[in-house]
Amino acid sequence: MEIEDSHVEKFAAVCAEAILTYLDSGEPQWVTWDGYSHRFDFLSVELDPPVLPVVLSIEEGWDRIGDFGEITDPQHEHFDADALREAIQQLLTDEGVGERILKRFLAKLEKLEEELDEDEGPAGVAGPDED
């Protein structure tokens, strides 16, 4: 599948909101995507396991994805959530970081699908661990 600019833009917007939610709540967040649609979502890892595959976990060390040039500590007196949101989106869209993350995710998803296909064996034939 080809990663479209619109995929990266939507991913960047959802990822920025997940990061801001993590900074506000302190609860790690999962960013999810089915690998095909333009629908990205995020949810707390404290909730039930996600229905869709997890693209990215937002937790301690999240800022290793790049230099934002903005204050990331919500307790700092000059913290600006809107400026940080824009900086995150810019890093993920304009600098190619988001596209690399999504491509890596799709490669892992494809590998998992291949492994599942291998485990199933030929159609109608149980794999070695199945009865």
Side-chain angles (χ1 to χ4, degrees), residues 12-27 29 42 58 62 71-74 79-89:
V14 170
C15 191
E17 291 305 317
I19 289 170
L20 291 172
T21 299
Y22 169 70
L23 291 175
D24 182 52
S25 69
E27 292 181 11
Q29 304 290 312
F42 71 93
I58 307 298
W62 66 269
I71 296 169
T72 59
D73 178 2
F79 176 75
D80 182 343
D82 292 331
L84 180 57
R85 178 185 294 109
E86 289 176 21
I88 293 166
Q89 290 177 337

Side-chain angles (χ1 to χ4, degrees), residues 4-113:
E4 300 171 10
D5 290 344
S6 57
H7 283 114
V8 177
E9 291 166 4
K10 290 182 187 222
F11 170 68
V14 170
C15 191
E17 291 305 317
I19 289 170
L20 291 172
T21 299
Y22 169 70
L23 291 175
D24 182 52
S25 69
E27 292 181 11
Q29 304 290 312
W30 281 322
V31 177
T32 62
W33 181 41
D34 62 11
Y36 303 100
S37 71
H38 284 79
R39 182 173 182 262
F40 293 86
D41 203 357
F42 71 93
L43 66 148
S44 170
V45 300
E46 305 291 323
L47 301 176
D48 293 330
V51 175
L52 297 175
V54 174
V55 178
L56 191 62
S57 292
I58 307 298
E59 55 195 338
E60 189 174 327
W62 66 269
D63 52 353
R64 290 181 294 195
I65 62 175
D67 180 22
F68 305 103
E70 293 294 332
I71 296 169
T72 59
D73 178 2
Q75 305 305 319
H76 191 280
E77 66 178 299
H78 297 292
F79 176 75
D80 182 343
D82 292 331
L84 180 57
R85 178 185 294 109
E86 289 176 21
I88 293 166
Q89 290 177 337
Q90 181 178 4
L91 177 77
L92 293 174
T93 56
D94 299 344
E95 297 183 30
V97 174
E99 183 176 12
R100 286 193 300 274
I101 291 170
L102 294 178
K103 283 183 176 180
R104 200 172 320 130
F105 169 75
L106 286 179
K108 288 179 183 178
L109 201 58
E110 186 176 304
K111 184 177 179 182
L112 285 172
E113 288 173 354

